Amino acid sequence: MDIPALTSAPATPFLQRSNIKPPPPPPPVQHNSNPISNTNNSLTKHQLKNTNIKPIDPVVAWTASISRHCRNRQLSQAASLLTRMRLAGVEPNHITFITLISACSDSPSQTKFLGPPMHAYARKLGLDTNNVMVGTALIDMYAKFRQIELARIIFDELEVKNSVSWNTMVDGYMRNGEKENAVKMFDEMPHRDVVSWTVFIDGFVKMGEFEEGLEWFRAMQLAQVEPDYVTIIAVLSACANLGALGLGLWVHRYVLRKDFRDNVRVCNTLIDMYARCGCVKLARQVFDKMPKRTLVSWNSVIGGFAANGFANEALEYFELMQKDGFQPDGVSFTGALTACSHAGMVDEGLKYFDIMKSVHKISPRVEHYGCIVDLYSRAGRLEDAVNVIENMTVKPNEIVLGSLLAACSTSGDIGLAERLMKYLDDLGPGVDSNYVLLSNAYAAVGKWDRASKARRTMKELGLQKRPGISSIDIGCSSHKFVAGDKSHDQTDHIYEI
Protein backbone atom coordinates (compact mmCIF):
# COMPACT_ATOMS: atom_id res chain seq x y z
CA MET A 1 0.00 0.00 0.00
CA ASP A 2 1.44 3.38 -1.00
CA ILE A 3 1.33 5.77 1.94
CA PRO A 4 1.89 9.48 1.14
CA ALA A 5 4.13 11.69 3.21
CA LEU A 6 2.81 12.72 6.62
CA THR A 7 3.54 15.87 8.57
CA SER A 8 2.76 17.00 12.09
CA ALA A 9 0.03 19.04 13.73
CA PRO A 10 -0.29 20.12 17.35
CA ALA A 11 -1.95 17.73 19.79
CA THR A 12 -4.98 19.01 21.68
CA PRO A 13 -6.11 17.56 25.05
CA PHE A 14 -9.77 16.85 25.66
CA LEU A 15 -10.39 19.94 27.80
CA GLN A 16 -8.71 22.24 25.32
CA ARG A 17 -10.82 20.81 22.51
CA SER A 18 -13.82 21.50 24.68
CA ASN A 19 -12.79 25.14 25.20
CA ILE A 20 -12.80 24.89 28.99
CA LYS A 21 -9.42 26.56 29.48
CA PRO A 22 -9.06 30.31 29.00
CA PRO A 23 -7.50 31.85 25.90
CA PRO A 24 -3.78 32.72 26.00
CA PRO A 25 -3.27 35.64 28.39
CA PRO A 26 -1.79 38.99 27.36
CA PRO A 27 1.94 39.55 27.95
CA PRO A 28 2.71 39.79 31.68
CA VAL A 29 3.15 43.22 33.17
CA GLN A 30 6.00 44.17 35.52
CA HIS A 31 4.63 45.04 38.93
CA ASN A 32 5.38 45.43 42.60
CA SER A 33 2.38 45.34 44.93
CA ASN A 34 0.04 46.26 42.07
CA PRO A 35 0.63 44.92 38.56
CA ILE A 36 -0.27 48.24 36.94
CA SER A 37 1.19 50.70 39.39
CA ASN A 38 4.47 51.18 37.50
CA THR A 39 3.27 50.54 33.96
CA ASN A 40 3.73 54.02 32.55
CA ASN A 41 5.36 56.05 35.32
CA SER A 42 7.50 57.84 32.75
CA LEU A 43 4.42 59.25 31.03
CA THR A 44 2.52 62.19 32.36
CA LYS A 45 -1.25 62.22 32.22
CA HIS A 46 -1.06 64.68 29.33
CA GLN A 47 1.29 62.40 27.37
CA LEU A 48 -0.87 59.36 28.15
CA LYS A 49 -3.92 61.14 26.81
CA ASN A 50 -2.17 62.35 23.68
CA THR A 51 -0.60 59.00 22.81
CA ASN A 52 -3.93 57.13 23.19
CA ILE A 53 -2.36 54.49 25.46
CA LYS A 54 -5.09 52.86 27.51
CA PRO A 55 -4.28 51.67 31.04
CA ILE A 56 -4.35 47.89 31.42
CA ASP A 57 -7.26 46.46 33.37
CA PRO A 58 -5.78 45.37 36.73
CA VAL A 59 -7.81 42.10 36.65
CA VAL A 60 -6.24 41.24 33.29
CA ALA A 61 -2.74 42.08 34.54
CA TRP A 62 -3.07 39.99 37.71
CA THR A 63 -4.67 37.09 35.81
CA ALA A 64 -1.87 37.14 33.23
CA SER A 65 0.73 36.78 35.99
CA ILE A 66 -1.26 34.00 37.68
CA SER A 67 -1.62 32.22 34.33
CA ARG A 68 2.14 32.34 33.76
CA HIS A 69 2.74 30.55 37.08
CA CYS A 70 0.03 28.00 36.28
CA ARG A 71 1.59 27.21 32.90
CA ASN A 72 4.90 26.57 34.67
CA ARG A 73 3.11 24.35 37.24
CA GLN A 74 4.01 26.80 40.04
CA LEU A 75 0.70 26.44 41.83
CA SER A 76 1.93 27.74 45.20
CA GLN A 77 3.17 30.94 43.59
CA ALA A 78 -0.10 31.29 41.67
CA ALA A 79 -2.13 30.92 44.89
CA SER A 80 0.11 33.44 46.64
CA LEU A 81 -0.40 35.88 43.77
CA LEU A 82 -4.18 35.45 44.07
CA THR A 83 -3.92 36.40 47.75
CA ARG A 84 -1.92 39.52 46.87
CA MET A 85 -4.48 40.35 44.19
CA ARG A 86 -7.29 40.33 46.73
CA LEU A 87 -5.25 42.34 49.26
CA ALA A 88 -4.71 44.92 46.53
CA GLY A 89 -8.48 45.27 46.30
CA VAL A 90 -8.77 43.63 42.86
CA GLU A 91 -11.56 41.06 42.53
CA PRO A 92 -10.80 38.01 40.31
CA ASN A 93 -13.11 37.34 37.37
CA HIS A 94 -14.25 34.09 35.79
CA ILE A 95 -11.06 33.81 33.69
CA THR A 96 -8.95 33.98 36.85
CA PHE A 97 -10.97 31.14 38.38
CA ILE A 98 -10.86 29.01 35.23
CA THR A 99 -7.08 29.47 35.04
CA LEU A 100 -6.51 28.27 38.61
CA ILE A 101 -9.13 25.51 38.60
CA SER A 102 -7.81 24.09 35.32
CA ALA A 103 -4.29 24.10 36.76
CA CYS A 104 -5.61 22.09 39.72
CA SER A 105 -7.17 19.61 37.27
CA ASP A 106 -3.83 19.13 35.50
CA SER A 107 -2.05 18.14 38.74
CA PRO A 108 -4.70 16.46 40.91
CA SER A 109 -2.23 14.73 43.23
CA GLN A 110 -0.51 18.02 44.10
CA THR A 111 -3.37 20.51 44.17
CA LYS A 112 -6.10 19.04 46.35
CA PHE A 113 -5.20 21.70 48.91
CA LEU A 114 -6.02 24.49 46.45
CA GLY A 115 -9.05 23.18 44.56
CA PRO A 116 -11.72 23.22 47.31
CA PRO A 117 -10.84 26.77 48.51
CA MET A 118 -11.07 27.97 44.91
CA HIS A 119 -14.50 26.33 44.67
CA ALA A 120 -15.57 27.99 47.92
CA TYR A 121 -14.48 31.41 46.67
CA ALA A 122 -16.22 30.88 43.31
CA ARG A 123 -19.39 29.85 45.13
CA LYS A 124 -19.27 33.00 47.24
CA LEU A 125 -19.42 34.99 44.00
CA GLY A 126 -22.03 32.66 42.49
CA LEU A 127 -19.75 31.74 39.60
CA ASP A 128 -20.01 27.97 40.13
CA THR A 129 -23.72 28.03 39.24
CA ASN A 130 -24.24 31.00 36.93
CA ASN A 131 -21.06 30.78 34.84
CA VAL A 132 -20.98 27.67 32.67
CA MET A 133 -17.23 27.81 32.07
CA VAL A 134 -16.35 28.00 35.78
CA GLY A 135 -18.87 25.28 36.62
CA THR A 136 -17.55 23.00 33.89
CA ALA A 137 -13.96 23.51 35.05
CA LEU A 138 -15.03 22.52 38.58
CA ILE A 139 -16.77 19.39 37.25
CA ASP A 140 -13.56 18.36 35.51
CA MET A 141 -11.45 19.12 38.58
CA TYR A 142 -13.52 16.99 40.96
CA ALA A 143 -13.73 14.16 38.42
CA LYS A 144 -9.94 14.10 38.28
CA PHE A 145 -9.82 14.26 42.08
CA ARG A 146 -11.90 11.01 42.05
CA GLN A 147 -14.78 12.85 43.73
CA ILE A 148 -17.37 12.17 41.07
CA GLU A 149 -20.32 12.74 43.42
CA LEU A 150 -19.24 16.35 43.98
CA ALA A 151 -18.79 16.77 40.22
CA ARG A 152 -22.37 15.60 39.68
CA ILE A 153 -23.71 18.02 42.31
CA ILE A 154 -22.03 20.93 40.54
CA PHE A 155 -23.38 19.71 37.19
CA ASP A 156 -26.93 19.49 38.53
CA GLU A 157 -26.72 23.00 40.04
CA LEU A 158 -25.45 24.66 36.85
CA GLU A 159 -28.17 27.06 35.72
CA VAL A 160 -27.12 26.85 32.08
CA LYS A 161 -25.41 23.80 30.59
CA ASN A 162 -23.75 23.48 27.19
CA SER A 163 -22.34 20.54 25.27
CA VAL A 164 -18.98 20.98 27.01
CA SER A 165 -20.62 20.61 30.42
CA TRP A 166 -22.38 17.39 29.37
CA ASN A 167 -19.26 15.95 27.76
CA THR A 168 -17.13 16.77 30.79
CA MET A 169 -19.58 15.05 33.13
CA VAL A 170 -19.74 11.96 30.92
CA ASP A 171 -15.94 11.92 30.71
CA GLY A 172 -15.79 12.17 34.51
CA TYR A 173 -17.98 9.10 34.89
CA MET A 174 -15.86 7.14 32.40
CA ARG A 175 -12.64 8.31 34.06
CA ASN A 176 -13.92 6.95 37.39
CA GLY A 177 -15.11 3.64 35.92
CA GLU A 178 -18.84 4.37 36.28
CA LYS A 179 -19.82 3.14 32.82
CA GLU A 180 -23.53 2.71 33.56
CA ASN A 181 -23.92 6.30 34.75
CA ALA A 182 -21.95 7.52 31.75
CA VAL A 183 -24.21 5.66 29.31
CA LYS A 184 -27.32 6.88 31.11
CA MET A 185 -26.14 10.49 30.86
CA PHE A 186 -25.19 9.98 27.22
CA ASP A 187 -28.77 8.89 26.52
CA GLU A 188 -30.08 12.04 28.25
CA MET A 189 -27.83 14.47 26.36
CA PRO A 190 -29.77 17.03 24.29
CA HIS A 191 -27.00 17.09 21.69
CA ARG A 192 -24.16 14.65 20.97
CA ASP A 193 -21.07 15.75 19.10
CA VAL A 194 -17.78 14.09 18.16
CA VAL A 195 -16.41 14.64 21.68
CA SER A 196 -19.40 12.82 23.21
CA TRP A 197 -18.65 9.68 21.19
CA THR A 198 -14.89 9.93 21.60
CA VAL A 199 -15.24 10.01 25.38
CA PHE A 200 -16.65 6.48 25.26
CA ILE A 201 -14.28 5.12 22.64
CA ASP A 202 -11.20 6.46 24.41
CA GLY A 203 -12.60 5.59 27.84
CA PHE A 204 -13.16 1.93 27.00
CA VAL A 205 -9.73 1.67 25.34
CA LYS A 206 -8.06 3.05 28.49
CA MET A 207 -10.00 0.52 30.57
CA GLY A 208 -8.66 -2.28 28.38
CA GLU A 209 -12.11 -3.02 26.93
CA PHE A 210 -10.95 -2.65 23.34
CA GLU A 211 -13.79 -4.47 21.63
CA GLU A 212 -16.33 -2.32 23.46
CA GLY A 213 -14.46 0.77 22.29
CA LEU A 214 -14.68 -0.41 18.67
CA GLU A 215 -18.39 -1.11 19.08
CA TRP A 216 -18.88 2.53 20.08
CA PHE A 217 -16.86 3.58 17.04
CA ARG A 218 -19.18 1.56 14.79
CA ALA A 219 -22.20 3.14 16.51
CA MET A 220 -20.66 6.56 15.94
CA GLN A 221 -20.37 5.82 12.23
CA LEU A 222 -23.98 4.68 12.08
CA ALA A 223 -24.96 7.95 13.77
CA GLN A 224 -23.08 9.71 10.92
CA VAL A 225 -20.82 11.65 13.29
CA GLU A 226 -17.47 12.49 11.72
CA PRO A 227 -14.52 11.35 13.90
CA ASP A 228 -11.63 13.69 14.61
CA TYR A 229 -7.97 12.82 15.10
CA VAL A 230 -8.46 12.09 18.83
CA THR A 231 -11.11 9.52 17.94
CA ILE A 232 -8.79 7.96 15.36
CA ILE A 233 -5.92 7.67 17.84
CA ALA A 234 -8.19 5.81 20.29
CA VAL A 235 -9.48 3.48 17.54
CA LEU A 236 -5.96 2.71 16.31
CA SER A 237 -4.89 1.94 19.89
CA ALA A 238 -7.75 -0.56 20.16
CA CYS A 239 -6.70 -2.14 16.85
CA ALA A 240 -3.11 -2.41 18.10
CA ASN A 241 -4.14 -4.18 21.31
CA LEU A 242 -6.50 -6.57 19.51
CA GLY A 243 -4.24 -7.18 16.53
CA ALA A 244 -7.15 -6.08 14.33
CA LEU A 245 -5.06 -5.37 11.25
CA GLY A 246 -8.02 -5.29 8.85
CA LEU A 247 -9.76 -2.48 10.71
CA GLY A 248 -6.42 -0.72 11.23
CA LEU A 249 -5.84 -0.66 7.45
CA TRP A 250 -9.34 0.68 6.89
CA VAL A 251 -8.79 3.45 9.44
CA HIS A 252 -5.45 4.33 7.81
CA ARG A 253 -7.13 4.69 4.42
CA TYR A 254 -9.74 6.89 6.08
CA VAL A 255 -6.99 9.05 7.64
CA LEU A 256 -5.31 9.63 4.28
CA ARG A 257 -8.43 11.42 3.03
CA LYS A 258 -8.62 13.80 6.02
CA ASP A 259 -6.91 17.02 7.03
CA PHE A 260 -5.35 15.39 10.09
CA ARG A 261 -3.42 12.87 7.96
CA ASP A 262 -0.29 14.92 8.77
CA ASN A 263 -0.89 14.86 12.54
CA VAL A 264 2.28 13.50 14.15
CA ARG A 265 0.34 11.77 16.95
CA VAL A 266 -1.79 9.93 14.41
CA CYS A 267 1.36 8.85 12.55
CA ASN A 268 3.01 7.66 15.77
CA THR A 269 -0.09 5.62 16.62
CA LEU A 270 -0.11 4.12 13.13
CA ILE A 271 3.52 3.04 13.56
CA ASP A 272 2.68 1.41 16.88
CA MET A 273 -0.43 -0.28 15.46
CA TYR A 274 1.39 -1.78 12.47
CA ALA A 275 4.34 -2.90 14.61
CA ARG A 276 2.10 -4.63 17.15
CA CYS A 277 0.20 -6.33 14.33
CA GLY A 278 3.51 -7.66 12.98
CA CYS A 279 3.52 -5.45 9.85
CA VAL A 280 6.96 -3.95 10.39
CA LYS A 281 7.32 -2.99 6.74
CA LEU A 282 4.21 -0.77 6.90
CA ALA A 283 5.32 0.71 10.23
CA ARG A 284 8.66 1.61 8.68
CA GLN A 285 6.94 3.05 5.61
CA VAL A 286 4.82 5.40 7.73
CA PHE A 287 7.90 6.47 9.69
CA ASP A 288 10.16 7.01 6.68
CA LYS A 289 7.57 9.22 4.96
CA MET A 290 7.08 11.52 7.95
CA PRO A 291 8.70 14.88 7.10
CA LYS A 292 8.78 15.80 10.78
CA ARG A 293 9.32 13.38 13.65
CA THR A 294 9.35 13.52 17.43
CA LEU A 295 11.21 11.38 19.95
CA VAL A 296 8.01 9.34 20.31
CA SER A 297 8.17 8.61 16.56
CA TRP A 298 11.70 7.23 16.87
CA ASN A 299 10.87 5.26 20.02
CA SER A 300 7.81 3.74 18.33
CA VAL A 301 9.72 2.45 15.32
CA ILE A 302 12.69 1.25 17.42
CA GLY A 303 10.36 -0.60 19.79
CA GLY A 304 8.43 -2.03 16.84
CA PHE A 305 11.58 -3.44 15.26
CA ALA A 306 12.77 -4.85 18.59
CA ALA A 307 9.47 -6.53 19.49
CA ASN A 308 9.30 -8.24 16.10
CA GLY A 309 12.85 -9.61 16.21
CA PHE A 310 14.48 -7.10 13.85
CA ALA A 311 17.35 -6.38 16.22
CA ASN A 312 19.81 -4.94 13.70
CA GLU A 313 17.21 -2.54 12.30
CA ALA A 314 16.22 -1.45 15.82
CA LEU A 315 19.83 -0.65 16.74
CA GLU A 316 20.41 1.02 13.37
CA TYR A 317 17.48 3.38 13.96
CA PHE A 318 18.66 3.93 17.54
CA GLU A 319 21.91 5.33 16.13
CA LEU A 320 20.14 7.27 13.35
CA MET A 321 17.92 8.93 15.95
CA GLN A 322 20.97 10.42 17.66
CA LYS A 323 22.46 11.56 14.37
CA ASP A 324 19.15 13.33 13.70
CA GLY A 325 19.64 15.35 16.88
CA PHE A 326 17.41 13.41 19.31
CA GLN A 327 18.80 12.36 22.69
CA PRO A 328 17.57 8.88 23.70
CA ASP A 329 15.43 8.62 26.81
CA GLY A 330 14.51 5.65 28.97
CA VAL A 331 12.01 4.36 26.41
CA SER A 332 14.63 4.49 23.66
CA PHE A 333 17.00 2.36 25.71
CA THR A 334 14.21 -0.10 26.53
CA GLY A 335 13.82 -0.64 22.79
CA ALA A 336 17.57 -1.11 22.26
CA LEU A 337 17.88 -3.51 25.20
CA THR A 338 14.84 -5.51 24.04
CA ALA A 339 16.43 -5.85 20.60
CA CYS A 340 19.64 -7.16 22.13
CA SER A 341 17.70 -9.55 24.36
CA HIS A 342 15.65 -11.06 21.53
CA ALA A 343 18.76 -11.50 19.36
CA GLY A 344 20.91 -12.96 22.15
CA MET A 345 23.38 -10.06 21.90
CA VAL A 346 24.56 -10.13 25.50
CA ASP A 347 27.68 -7.98 25.20
CA GLU A 348 25.90 -5.34 23.12
CA GLY A 349 23.02 -5.22 25.58
CA LEU A 350 25.35 -4.72 28.54
CA LYS A 351 27.17 -1.98 26.59
CA TYR A 352 23.92 -0.08 25.97
CA PHE A 353 22.92 -0.51 29.63
CA ASP A 354 26.25 0.99 30.72
CA ILE A 355 25.99 3.87 28.20
CA MET A 356 22.49 4.65 29.46
CA LYS A 357 23.79 5.08 33.01
CA SER A 358 27.24 6.59 32.50
CA VAL A 359 26.83 8.73 29.37
CA HIS A 360 23.15 9.75 29.38
CA LYS A 361 22.76 9.73 33.18
CA ILE A 362 19.46 7.84 33.01
CA SER A 363 18.64 5.93 36.19
CA PRO A 364 17.58 2.37 35.32
CA ARG A 365 13.91 1.61 35.87
CA VAL A 366 12.39 -1.79 36.46
CA GLU A 367 11.82 -2.34 32.72
CA HIS A 368 15.54 -1.81 32.01
CA TYR A 369 16.51 -4.33 34.65
CA GLY A 370 13.88 -6.65 33.24
CA CYS A 371 15.56 -6.48 29.83
CA ILE A 372 18.95 -7.37 31.35
CA VAL A 373 17.45 -10.25 33.33
CA ASP A 374 15.77 -11.49 30.16
CA LEU A 375 19.05 -11.04 28.26
CA TYR A 376 20.92 -13.27 30.71
CA SER A 377 18.03 -15.75 31.00
CA ARG A 378 17.79 -16.32 27.25
CA ALA A 379 21.55 -16.88 27.16
CA GLY A 380 21.29 -19.48 29.95
CA ARG A 381 23.30 -17.35 32.40
CA LEU A 382 20.81 -17.71 35.21
CA GLU A 383 23.16 -16.89 38.09
CA ASP A 384 24.09 -13.62 36.40
CA ALA A 385 20.37 -12.87 36.09
CA VAL A 386 19.88 -13.57 39.81
CA ASN A 387 22.80 -11.27 40.61
CA VAL A 388 21.08 -8.46 38.67
CA ILE A 389 17.86 -8.97 40.64
CA GLU A 390 19.68 -8.97 43.97
CA ASN A 391 21.49 -5.70 43.16
CA MET A 392 18.63 -3.76 41.56
CA THR A 393 18.17 -0.21 42.82
CA VAL A 394 14.39 -0.63 42.48
CA LYS A 395 12.15 -3.41 43.73
CA PRO A 396 11.72 -6.22 41.16
CA ASN A 397 8.18 -6.90 39.99
CA GLU A 398 6.49 -10.13 38.98
CA ILE A 399 7.36 -9.59 35.30
CA VAL A 400 11.11 -9.47 35.98
CA LEU A 401 10.97 -12.47 38.31
CA GLY A 402 8.58 -14.34 36.03
CA SER A 403 11.01 -13.98 33.12
CA LEU A 404 13.73 -15.72 35.11
CA LEU A 405 11.28 -18.28 36.47
CA ALA A 406 10.34 -19.22 32.91
CA ALA A 407 14.03 -19.77 32.14
CA CYS A 408 14.30 -22.00 35.23
CA SER A 409 11.34 -24.02 33.98
CA THR A 410 13.01 -24.46 30.60
CA SER A 411 16.40 -25.41 32.03
CA GLY A 412 15.02 -27.53 34.89
CA ASP A 413 16.81 -25.52 37.60
CA ILE A 414 14.47 -26.40 40.46
CA GLY A 415 16.57 -24.85 43.24
CA LEU A 416 16.59 -21.44 41.64
CA ALA A 417 12.88 -21.67 40.78
CA GLU A 418 12.06 -22.28 44.45
CA ARG A 419 14.22 -19.32 45.50
CA LEU A 420 12.38 -17.10 43.05
CA MET A 421 8.98 -18.19 44.34
CA LYS A 422 9.93 -16.79 47.74
CA TYR A 423 10.55 -13.41 46.09
CA LEU A 424 7.23 -13.70 44.27
CA ASP A 425 5.34 -14.60 47.44
CA ASP A 426 6.67 -11.41 49.05
CA LEU A 427 5.25 -9.41 46.16
CA GLY A 428 1.88 -11.10 46.52
CA PRO A 429 0.64 -14.54 45.47
CA GLY A 430 -1.86 -13.28 42.91
CA VAL A 431 -0.16 -14.28 39.64
CA ASP A 432 -1.35 -17.64 38.36
CA SER A 433 1.32 -17.97 35.67
CA ASN A 434 4.14 -18.19 38.24
CA TYR A 435 2.64 -21.26 39.89
CA VAL A 436 2.06 -22.81 36.48
CA LEU A 437 5.72 -22.23 35.60
CA LEU A 438 6.87 -23.75 38.91
CA SER A 439 4.62 -26.75 38.35
CA ASN A 440 6.01 -27.15 34.84
CA ALA A 441 9.57 -26.95 36.17
CA TYR A 442 8.86 -29.79 38.61
CA ALA A 443 7.19 -31.83 35.90
CA ALA A 444 10.14 -31.30 33.53
CA VAL A 445 12.46 -33.15 35.94
CA GLY A 446 9.87 -35.79 36.90
CA LYS A 447 8.98 -34.43 40.36
CA TRP A 448 5.28 -35.03 39.94
CA ASP A 449 4.41 -34.79 43.64
CA ARG A 450 5.83 -31.27 43.84
CA ALA A 451 4.13 -30.33 40.57
CA SER A 452 0.81 -31.44 42.05
CA LYS A 453 1.55 -29.52 45.25
CA ALA A 454 2.12 -26.32 43.24
CA ARG A 455 -1.24 -26.82 41.53
CA ARG A 456 -2.94 -27.42 44.89
CA THR A 457 -1.40 -24.24 46.27
CA MET A 458 -2.94 -22.36 43.34
CA LYS A 459 -6.31 -23.85 44.14
CA GLU A 460 -6.02 -23.01 47.84
CA LEU A 461 -5.20 -19.40 46.97
CA GLY A 462 -8.25 -19.24 44.75
CA LEU A 463 -6.17 -18.82 41.59
CA GLN A 464 -7.27 -20.27 38.28
CA LYS A 465 -5.10 -20.62 35.22
CA ARG A 466 -6.21 -18.08 32.70
CA PRO A 467 -6.76 -19.79 29.37
CA GLY A 468 -4.58 -18.84 26.45
CA ILE A 469 -6.57 -17.14 23.70
CA SER A 470 -6.05 -17.28 19.96
CA SER A 471 -7.73 -14.91 17.57
CA ILE A 472 -8.26 -14.61 13.87
CA ASP A 473 -8.94 -11.38 11.99
CA ILE A 474 -11.58 -11.77 9.26
CA GLY A 475 -12.38 -8.57 7.41
CA CYS A 476 -12.70 -5.95 10.16
CA SER A 477 -13.81 -8.37 12.88
CA SER A 478 -11.69 -10.33 15.36
CA HIS A 479 -12.80 -13.79 16.55
CA LYS A 480 -11.36 -15.26 19.75
CA PHE A 481 -10.93 -18.94 20.61
CA VAL A 482 -9.67 -21.05 23.49
CA ALA A 483 -8.74 -24.72 23.42
CA GLY A 484 -11.86 -26.87 22.96
CA ASP A 485 -14.03 -23.79 22.53
CA LYS A 486 -17.47 -24.52 21.04
CA SER A 487 -19.22 -21.26 21.88
CA HIS A 488 -18.69 -19.59 18.50
CA ASP A 489 -21.78 -19.35 16.31
CA GLN A 490 -19.89 -21.01 13.45
CA THR A 491 -18.28 -23.77 15.52
CA ASP A 492 -19.31 -26.54 13.09
CA HIS A 493 -17.63 -24.85 10.15
CA ILE A 494 -14.51 -24.04 12.21
CA TYR A 495 -13.99 -27.64 13.31
CA GLU A 496 -14.82 -28.93 9.86
CA ILE A 497 -11.94 -26.88 8.44
Side-chain angles (χ1 to χ4, degrees), residues 58-74:
V59 180
V60 173
W62 281 104
T63 301
S65 297
I66 290 171
S67 178
R68 186 175 66 252
H69 286 302
C70 289
R71 288 198 305 274
N72 295 327
R73 296 186 179 276
Q74 299 170 334

Side-chain angles (χ1 to χ4, degrees), residues 196-217:
S196 314
W197 291 93
T198 303
V199 162
F200 282 93
I201 298 167
D202 187 54
F204 281 115
V205 170
K206 287 177 178 175
M207 291 179 194
E209 299 180 21
F210 309 111
E211 291 175 329
E212 188 72 18
L214 293 182
E215 285 297 324
W216 276 86
F217 178 60

Side-chain angles (χ1 to χ4, degrees), residues 220-236:
M220 178 182 183
Q221 291 176 290
L222 292 173
Q224 298 183 338
V225 178
E226 192 82 2
D228 63 6
Y229 79 92
V230 180
T231 318
I232 293 300
I233 289 170
V235 172
L236 288 172

Side-chain angles (χ1 to χ4, degrees), residues 10-51:
T12 310
F14 169 75
L15 284 182
Q16 287 182 333
R17 292 191 304 124
S18 302
N19 298 321
I20 290 178
K21 288 188 177 180
V29 179
Q30 296 294 329
H31 58 80
N32 292 321
S33 61
N34 188 316
I36 64 169
S37 60
N38 299 319
T39 303
N40 291 297
N41 284 344
S42 61
L43 297 177
T44 64
K45 292 182 179 180
H46 179 72
Q47 289 173 317
L48 194 63
K49 182 178 180 180
N50 290 341
T51 54

Side-chain angles (χ1 to χ4, degrees), residues 479 481 485-494:
H479 301 264
F481 306 90
D485 186 6
K486 294 187 178 181
S487 61
H488 197 278
D489 57 2
Q490 298 186 47
T491 294
D492 294 339
H493 295 290
I494 293 167

Side-chain angles (χ1 to χ4, degrees), residues 20 31 36 42 79 106 112 119 122 134 152 203 230 263 271 333 347 415 421 429 444 479 485:
I20 290 178
H31 58 80
I36 64 169
S42 61
D106 291 339
K112 288 189 176 180
H119 181 195
V134 174
R152 182 57 192 260
V230 180
N263 186 296
I271 293 169
F333 277 102
D347 293 337
M421 285 304 294
H479 301 264
D485 186 6

Side-chain angles (χ1 to χ4, degrees), residues 40-282:
N40 291 297
N41 284 344
S42 61
L43 297 177
T44 64
K45 292 182 179 180
H46 179 72
Q47 289 173 317
L48 194 63
K49 182 178 180 180
N50 290 341
T51 54
N52 294 321
I53 298 176
K54 296 181 181 180
I56 297 175
D57 186 332
V59 180
V60 173
W62 281 104
T63 301
S65 297
I66 290 171
S67 178
R68 186 175 66 252
H69 286 302
C70 289
R71 288 198 305 274
N72 295 327
R73 296 186 179 276
Q74 299 170 334
L75 271 298
S76 297
Q77 293 91 323
S80 175
L81 205 55
L82 176 67
T83 301
R84 288 173 54 196
M85 178 181 181
R86 296 178 65 190
L87 291 174
V90 181
E91 194 74 19
N93 64 9
H94 67 287
I95 298 296
T96 317
F97 281 102
I98 294 167
T99 301
L100 284 159
I101 294 167
S102 297
C104 293
S105 300
D106 291 339
S107 304
S109 61
Q110 303 172 17
T111 55
K112 288 189 176 180
F113 73 94
L114 179 60
M118 288 304 306
H119 181 195
Y121 191 13
R123 189 165 188 86
K124 179 181 177 182
L125 301 177
L127 291 173
D128 62 333
T129 57
N130 61 31
N131 187 288
V132 67
M133 294 177 67
V134 174
T136 302
L138 285 167
I139 293 167
D140 182 67
M141 182 189 76
Y142 281 118
K144 289 179 178 176
F145 284 0
R146 300 290 178 184
Q147 295 176 295
I148 194 65
E149 296 83 5
L150 284 174
R152 182 57 192 260
I153 290 171
I154 295 166
F155 176 84
D156 290 339
E157 290 185 350
L158 262 179
E159 295 174 4
V160 177
K161 303 176 180 67
N162 59 19
S163 61
V164 180
S165 316
W166 285 90
N167 289 334
T168 304
M169 191 65 237
V170 172
D171 180 64
Y173 275 132
M174 289 296 290
R175 187 185 299 274
N176 285 272
E178 297 192 15
K179 297 177 286 187
E180 294 79 6
N181 285 329
V183 173
K184 182 179 178 182
M185 177 157 282
F186 180 84
D187 292 337
E188 296 172 355
M189 290 178 72
H191 172 71
R192 304 180 190 112
D193 56 17
V194 60
V195 178
S196 314
W197 291 93
T198 303
V199 162
F200 282 93
I201 298 167
D202 187 54
F204 281 115
V205 170
K206 287 177 178 175
M207 291 179 194
E209 299 180 21
F210 309 111
E211 291 175 329
E212 188 72 18
L214 293 182
E215 285 297 324
W216 276 86
F217 178 60
R218 294 186 182 100
M220 178 182 183
Q221 291 176 290
L222 292 173
Q224 298 183 338
V225 178
E226 192 82 2
D228 63 6
Y229 79 92
V230 180
T231 318
I232 293 300
I233 289 170
V235 172
L236 288 172
S237 297
C239 293
N241 283 281
L242 292 172
L245 179 60
L247 181 57
L249 286 165
W250 182 91
V251 172
H252 192 181
R253 285 194 293 269
Y254 176 86
V255 167
L256 293 175
R257 301 195 300 269
K258 299 298 176 182
D259 293 338
F260 51 77
R261 63 183 178 273
D262 297 331
N263 186 296
V264 71
R265 288 183 61 200
V266 172
C267 297
N268 292 343
T269 312
L270 279 167
I271 293 169
D272 180 64
M273 185 272 296
Y274 280 131
R276 293 176 70 177
C277 289
C279 297
V280 182
K281 184 178 179 180
L282 288 176

